[in-house]
């Protein structure tokens, strides 16, 4: 018995070397179904929650689901879902097969506000294409589906992963450079310390992490800011700690990334904070 209503494409049938996408669908959990029982698939699955909240059980671990939560699972992983509150969550579900799928690890992460905005843009375009006669949906739609999946794979660390979690760890030199990169100051200092031209260093960092040097530091800043706010550190002190000492600028930056003011984030119950 179906426990959700499909709002977009059900069958994608997109194939490129090493990757095939079978299903790309927006699902709205039906109001009369509060939970989805544990189940497994013979394929990989990406679940991106776009609205509301819930609890996802993944391979025995409980995961708090919020808008922007992304879960990537290789074949055979048991998972289940229970919504929080009365509103039905909206979820993007992508079923796909990828080379060496069973060597990959479960990934749970949160998309930034800009990443989530990019995916919403792709979905809006797909919905408009469905109303357009001709081959536009098949041609441009396939590109949008792949762009969306690639963004999810890159964010979760799956892009370029070939043989288990160790395959996505940065090399020792790049790992050491990123670990020592200060939150404050100019990125030029990190580039100079590396001994590489900036463009080349960005290619190395992107190859290891899926992000440019600036994007990597922005993500580390956001992780640190959330951690400090969760523990009740004052907004001004958090701004200094992540290298953005202008409290007003920090507040605007944090809101762009999360959709919330720092003060509002710090007041949230810890169980609701991704």
């Amino acid at each position: 018995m179906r426990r959700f209503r499909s709002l977009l494409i059900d069958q994608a049938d997109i194939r490129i070397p090493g990757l095939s996408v079978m299903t790309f669908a927006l699902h709205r959990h039906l109001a009369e179904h509060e939970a989805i029982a544990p189940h497994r698939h013979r394929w990989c699955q990406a679940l991106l929650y776009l609205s509301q909240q819930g609890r996802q059980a993944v391979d025995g671990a409980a995961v708090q689901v919020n808008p922007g939560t992304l879960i990537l699972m290789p074949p055979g992983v048991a998972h289940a879902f229970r919504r929080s509150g009365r509103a039905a969550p909206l979820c993007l579900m992508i079923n796909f097969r990828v080379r060496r799928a069973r060597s990959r690890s479960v990934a749970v992460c949160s998309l930034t506000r800009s990443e989530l905005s990019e995916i919403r843009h792709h979905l809006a375009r797909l919905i408009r294409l469905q109303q357009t006669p001709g081959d536009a949906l098949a041609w441009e739609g396939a590109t949008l589906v792949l762009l969306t999946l690639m963004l999810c794979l890159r964010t979760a660390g799956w892009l370029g992963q070939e043989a288990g979690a160790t395959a996505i760890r940065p090399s020792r030199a790049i790992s050491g450079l990123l670990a020592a990169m200060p939150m404050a100051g100019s990125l030029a200092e990190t580039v100079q310390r590396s001994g590489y031209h900036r463009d080349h260093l960005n290619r190395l960092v992107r190859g290891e992490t899926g992000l440019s040097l600036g994007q990597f530091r922005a993500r580390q800043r956001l992780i640190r800011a959330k951690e400090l706010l969760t523990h009740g550190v004052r907004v001004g002190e958090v701004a200094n700690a992540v290298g953005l000492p202008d409290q007003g600028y920090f507040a605007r930056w944090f809101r762009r990334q999360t959709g919330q003011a720092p003060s509002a984030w710090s007041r949230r119950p810890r169980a609701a904070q991704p």
Side-chain angles (χ1 to χ4, degrees), residues 9 12 14 122 125-145:
I9 303 168
I14 299 170
H122 293 335
R125 179 59 183 157
L126 278 168
I127 291 171
R128 289 196 296 271
L129 284 174
Q130 284 188 307
Q131 303 167 0
T132 304
D135 295 320
L137 179 61
W139 296 344
E140 186 179 346
T143 300
L144 293 169
V145 167

Side-chain angles (χ1 to χ4, degrees), residues 54-69:
R55 300 285 289 181
Q56 182 80 242
V58 183
D59 207 17
V63 176
Q64 173 65 35
V65 168
N66 298 286
T69 299

Side-chain angles (χ1 to χ4, degrees), residues 39-152:
H39 59 288
R40 305 171 188 263
H41 302 296
R42 298 190 303 273
W43 49 80
C44 301
Q45 188 172 74
L47 298 175
L48 173 60
Y49 287 86
L50 301 171
S51 69
Q52 305 308 323
Q53 296 180 331
R55 300 285 289 181
Q56 182 80 242
V58 183
D59 207 17
V63 176
Q64 173 65 35
V65 168
N66 298 286
T69 299
L70 170 66
I71 303 172
L72 255 67
M73 294 172 285
V77 173
H79 56 287
F81 179 79
R82 179 175 293 275
R83 76 169 187 262
S84 300
R86 300 176 62 182
L90 181 64
C91 176
L92 173 63
M93 183 189 76
I94 311 175
N95 293 333
F96 63 100
R97 289 188 170 94
V98 67
R99 187 180 294 132
R100 299 183 181 91
R102 292 189 181 274
S103 69
R104 299 168 191 268
S105 305
V106 173
V108 179
C109 57
S110 296
L111 271 65
T112 65
R113 187 174 177 84
S114 59
E115 290 168 338
L116 196 55
S117 176
E118 182 177 348
I119 286 182
R120 289 182 185 278
H121 176 77
H122 293 335
L123 295 178
R125 179 59 183 157
L126 278 168
I127 291 171
R128 289 196 296 271
L129 284 174
Q130 284 188 307
Q131 303 167 0
T132 304
D135 295 320
L137 179 61
W139 296 344
E140 186 179 346
T143 300
L144 293 169
V145 167
L146 289 174
L147 285 172
T148 300
L149 179 56
M150 290 302 105
L151 191 156
C152 292

Side-chain angles (χ1 to χ4, degrees), residues 8 20 27 31 98 101 110 144 159 201 221 246 250 257 265:
L8 197 60
S20 61
H27 286 162
V98 67
S110 296
L144 293 169
L159 198 59
L201 179 60
R221 279 174 164 169
D246 183 325
F250 168 75
Q257 303 302 315
W265 182 277

Side-chain angles (χ1 to χ4, degrees), residues 132-241:
T132 304
D135 295 320
L137 179 61
W139 296 344
E140 186 179 346
T143 300
L144 293 169
V145 167
L146 289 174
L147 285 172
T148 300
L149 179 56
M150 290 302 105
L151 191 156
C152 292
L153 295 177
R154 181 178 296 110
T155 299
W158 272 34
L159 198 59
Q161 182 180 356
E162 293 295 340
T166 56
I168 62 170
R169 293 176 183 165
S171 65
R172 183 172 298 179
I174 297 300
S175 178
L177 182 74
L178 295 179
M181 183 170 59
M183 292 282 185
S186 170
L187 287 176
E189 298 172 7
T190 300
V191 174
Q192 185 176 14
R193 189 168 65 251
S194 74
Y196 295 114
H197 186 275
R198 181 162 185 157
D199 288 344
H200 183 60
L201 179 60
N202 266 323
R203 284 193 292 271
L204 291 175
V205 173
R206 191 180 293 277
E208 299 286 357
T209 69
L211 303 169
S212 69
L213 190 64
Q215 289 170 335
F216 181 86
R217 185 169 73 170
R219 176 158 291 182
Q220 295 307 104
R221 279 174 164 169
L222 185 60
I223 291 171
R224 182 61 174 156
K226 287 179 177 180
E227 178 185 359
L228 293 174
L229 290 168
T230 298
H231 287 85
V233 179
R234 293 182 178 180
V235 174
E237 295 174 6
V238 175
N240 280 315

